[in-house]
Amino acid sequence: MNRIFSGVQPTGNLHLGNYLGAIRNWVRLQDDYECMFCLVDLHAITVWQDPVALRSNTREVTAGLLAAGIDPKKHIVFNQSQVPCHAELAWIFNCVARLGWLNRMTQFKEKAGKNREKASVGLYAYPNLMAADILLYKATHVPVGEDQKQHLELVRDIATKFNNDFGTALFPVPEPLILGEATRVMSLRDGSNKMSKSDPSDLSRINMTDDADTIAKKIRKAKTDPEPLPTSQEGFKGRPEAANLMGIYAALSDTSVNDVLNKFGGGQFSTFKQKLADLAVSVLGPIDSEMRRLTGDPAYVDSVLKDGADRANAIAGPILAEIQEVVGFLRP
Ligand code: TRP
């Protein structure tokens, strides 16, 4: 049996980058794998989260997953804190992973910045918790973007070391699942920066909750250059905005960038932007309205998460017991 585990932090708004880079791929995995989709609230608090915002973001991101087409009956959608085994296994992995391994993590270095002494211990141990997420369910595959590849390598090292240390084959060593042409969506205001929820300009991103008019306006205002659109991939050199907008068109229409170059190359940005806006509205519009409906029904969203946590606990409990047995904890 192949099982997928995937996590998303319930912090801030979902945007087009999250949708094309991750969520849409998750939707597509549902036919071929048994999937666990986890709102990783324990990971979120490795940096300060306002408690009221954390709770409402957890509901909102869940609504986004459901609106995008995740099926919570066939698969499991839950928030991490409601399955205590994650934290328990993370502790065991704190004792398996080596300081030297964590010292190499580039994401910690970036997030902690210059003020390393003030970073939380949780931020440092973050990858061990991620290992617990995945291995607690003996997941075999993990869909990962570029930024999580190093963490998944560490998860594989932890699984391997645990198995070796205890002379067991308890954990499968999970494989990364890298899906199709990687869609890295960049800021609409600066094609060399990633689209991000923390960009101060809302015009830089398309949020999954933006209505049709807002989406069209943001695309109209997106940064461009004065040249006509390039006709081949070489033409993207020095033109990150053209590359970004044409890449978004390809992803939203499920075609290749070369198809988009053939169709629009040599034309004007203004005409292309109109087509892109229409396409974006046709893909995102239905998701946006379903998301609004769901955020208006928090009791339903909560019931999905409750049911998900019950089912996740039922899988995790026996596996944690098995792990405790191997480690040598007395289970009277
Ligand atoms: N670290 C991931 C991120 O920030 C989120 C995450 C937590 C995750 N646990 C996971 C992703 C397990 C995949 C599998 O994007």
Side-chain angles (χ1 to χ4, degrees):
M1 176 211 49
N2 284 328
R3 179 180 281 156
I4 292 247
F5 188 98
S6 203
V8 58
Q9 295 207 32
T11 51
N13 294 345
L14 291 178
H15 55 69
L16 186 64
N18 304 123
Y19 179 67
L20 292 177
I23 298 171
R24 186 176 71 156
N25 294 329
W26 297 2
V27 172
R28 294 175 175 178
L29 292 169
Q30 295 183 104
D31 294 333
D32 301 320
Y33 296 88
E34 181 194 327
C35 302
M36 324 252 338
F37 299 113
C38 185
L39 291 295
V40 291
D41 47 11
L42 298 175
H43 277 106
I45 63 163
T46 56
V47 297
W48 170 252
Q49 300 296 325
D50 173 71
V52 173
L54 178 60
R55 198 169 292 124
S56 81
N57 284 331
T58 303
R59 289 197 179 105
E60 182 167 317
V61 175
T62 305
L65 299 185
L66 302 178
I70 300 285
D71 179 350
K73 296 233 152 52
K74 255 180 93 182
H75 302 280
I76 297 181
V77 180
F78 70 108
N79 59 318
Q80 194 182 24
S81 60
Q82 300 310 298
V83 181
C85 297
H86 288 250
E88 295 180 48
L89 183 55
W91 180 260
I92 295 174
F93 288 162
N94 283 344
C95 305
V96 173
R98 306 289 95 181
L99 282 175
W101 300 1
L102 290 174
N103 284 338
R104 284 196 287 276
M105 294 296 112
T106 55
Q107 185 171 301
F108 174 76
K109 289 180 200 164
E110 276 160 26
K111 284 202 183 175
K114 287 194 194 75
N115 224 338
R116 245 178 129 149
E117 298 290 313
K118 293 248 167 75
S120 73
V121 174
L123 188 66
Y124 186 72
Y126 181 114
N128 296 346
L129 177 59
M130 188 163 154
D133 297 341
I134 296 164
L135 298 174
L136 182 56
Y137 303 96
K138 300 188 181 179
T140 53
H141 295 81
V142 183
V144 280
E146 205 49 54
D147 63 327
Q148 296 298 318
K149 271 192 190 156
Q150 194 187 31
H151 287 162
L152 190 67
E153 257 328 296
L154 189 96
V155 173
R156 292 166 54 86
D157 289 343
I158 289 176
T160 307
K161 180 163 164 54
F162 182 99
N163 286 347
N164 284 338
D165 287 354
F166 293 101
T168 168
L170 200 152
F171 294 123
V173 180
E175 297 289 337
L177 213 63
I178 294 151
L179 299 145
E181 211 171 318
T183 310
R184 201 150 173 261
V185 180
M186 312 303 280
S187 158
L188 298 181
R189 305 301 297 168
D190 174 358
S192 50
N193 276 329
K194 217 172 141 179
M195 185 175 283
S196 155
K197 62 189 163 203
S198 51
D199 193 314
S201 167
D202 196 53
L203 285 175
S204 71
R205 67 186 154 261
I206 294 174
N207 301 306
M208 278 172 76
T209 46
D210 284 343
D211 61 22
D213 288 347
T214 310
I215 295 173
K217 182 184 85 185
K218 286 179 175 177
I219 291 175
R220 218 168 38 241
K221 296 201 166 187
K223 186 177 170 198
T224 53
D225 58 49
E227 304 299 316
L229 289 164
T231 50
S232 71
Q233 305 241 10
E234 289 83 74
F236 286 141
K237 277 204 197 87
R239 302 183 69 190
E241 284 79 22
N244 187 36
L245 294 178
M246 291 179 102
I248 292 174
Y249 191 102
L252 284 172
S253 60
D254 243 322
T255 53
S256 70
V257 173
N258 282 334
D259 289 338
V260 180
L261 285 161
N262 286 338
K263 199 163 166 192
F264 295 104
Q268 295 303 314
F269 266 110
S270 52
T271 337
F272 172 68
K273 277 179 162 183
Q274 186 55 53
K275 297 276 189 234
L276 178 59
D278 292 347
L279 174 65
V281 167
S282 76
V283 175
L284 300 174
I287 299 177
D288 158 58
S289 51
E290 177 63 359
M291 209 174 149
R292 274 164 205 277
R293 192 184 72 73
L294 289 167
T295 43
D297 190 356
Y300 171 73
V301 174
D302 290 7
S303 75
V304 166
L305 291 174
K306 174 78 175 76
D307 174 62
D310 288 345
R311 287 154 61 206
N313 272 306
I315 301 173
I319 296 179
L320 188 69
E322 199 186 342
I323 296 164
Q324 290 191 344
E325 198 65 41
V326 167
V327 172
F329 293 154
L330 177 68
R331 303 178 52 249

